[in-house]
């Protein structure tokens, strides 16, 4: 689908998830940023970016990404993810 429609967000989300699961964290982060550019009001792009940052042990950027996701769409999932990033920072 990405070959036909490279900005198809559902396919980008799936690809990002697969990259995270296969430990391709940097590729997942870049793809999450693509999602953010295409749909800047979609919380999921920021959540995925946070997941990639957290997997890379960049807890500061992960917490920032989760904060942006929270601002767009508060949810228990985002709160838990942000808490995990902040915990790793010792906050």
């Amino acid at each position: 689908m990405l070959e036909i429609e490279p900005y198809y967000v559902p396919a980008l989300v799936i690809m990002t998830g697969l990259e995270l699961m296969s430990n391709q964290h940097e590729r997942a982060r870049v793809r999450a940023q693509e999602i953010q550019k295409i749909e800047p009001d979609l919380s999921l792009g920021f959540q995925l970016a946070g997941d990639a940052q957290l997997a890379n042990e960049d807890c500061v950027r992960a917490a920032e990404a989760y904060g942006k996701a929270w601002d767009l769409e508060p949810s228990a999932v985002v709160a838990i993810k942000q808490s995990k990033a902040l915990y790793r920072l010792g906050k």
Side-chain angles (χ1 to χ4, degrees):
M1 182 57 113
L2 286 175
E3 290 177 9
I4 298 168
E5 195 173 334
Y7 302 112
Y8 186 62
V9 173
L12 291 171
V13 169
I14 291 168
M15 290 296 298
T16 306
L18 291 171
E19 289 164 349
L20 285 168
M21 289 190 304
S22 62
N23 294 321
Q24 296 176 2
H25 305 133
E26 183 59 24
R27 290 180 72 181
R29 185 191 62 77
V30 170
R31 199 173 305 273
Q33 288 177 329
E34 290 176 29
I35 296 168
Q36 292 169 18
K37 289 177 187 172
I38 297 165
E39 292 286 343
D41 295 330
L42 183 66
S43 172
L44 189 55
F46 293 96
Q47 287 183 54
L48 290 168
D51 294 346
Q53 298 290 8
L54 196 59
N56 277 334
E57 300 297 324
D58 189 346
C59 299
V60 172
R61 288 197 175 127
E64 290 171 357
Y66 293 139
K68 290 176 184 174
W70 176 267
D71 290 342
L72 291 169
E73 186 179 343
S75 72
V77 171
V78 174
I80 291 167
K81 289 180 176 189
Q82 187 173 37
S83 294
K84 184 176 180 180
L86 292 172
Y87 177 78
R88 288 189 183 180
L89 285 171
K91 295 184 177 188

